[in-house]
Amino acid sequence: MSHSVYLKLATVLVKADLRREEREWKRRVRRSAFDIPWNNAHLLRDIGLEQDGRSIAHNEPDSVKAERRVRHLRRVLSARIIT
């Protein structure tokens, strides 16, 4: 015994509605992941921003950056297997 056309249509429409709701939910979750909490200073500081949205700059002297870069290059070159 075959199902009624109306039952088939109803199941198709219910499935389509569920897919639409799932897409909307995923869209809201995805957008909330990038929503910046501008009214919470502590969370802004945790992600590295000031209250007005500027970056918290921890500038280091060029000598410190150069020493770190040289140390890294020496480590990479000494770890390289010479074949």
Side-chain angles (χ1 to χ4, degrees):
M1 194 165 153
S2 105
H3 292 291
S4 165
V5 174
Y6 295 114
L7 282 176
K8 289 180 182 178
L9 179 64
T11 56
V12 168
L13 292 176
V14 167
K15 286 181 182 179
D17 189 43
L18 289 174
R19 280 194 301 266
R20 181 188 57 81
E21 287 179 0
E22 183 74 19
R23 280 196 317 266
E24 287 179 2
W25 177 78
K26 285 182 180 180
R27 186 179 305 128
R28 282 196 307 269
V29 168
R30 196 170 43 245
R31 285 183 180 178
S32 70
F34 295 103
D35 188 23
I36 298 176
W38 294 110
N39 56 352
N40 192 330
H42 299 290
L43 290 176
L44 284 174
R45 187 169 296 139
D46 286 345
I47 62 175
L49 295 175
E50 295 285 349
Q51 185 69 29
D52 57 357
R54 290 181 292 131
S55 170
I56 296 175
H58 295 291
N59 292 335
E60 296 176 343
D62 290 336
S63 61
V64 173
K65 290 180 186 177
E67 288 175 9
R68 187 182 310 128
R69 187 170 290 150
V70 168
R71 188 171 52 241
H72 175 69
L73 288 173
R74 283 186 183 148
R75 187 181 71 238
V76 169
L77 291 174
S78 67
R80 183 185 294 176
I81 299 173
I82 301 174
T83 57

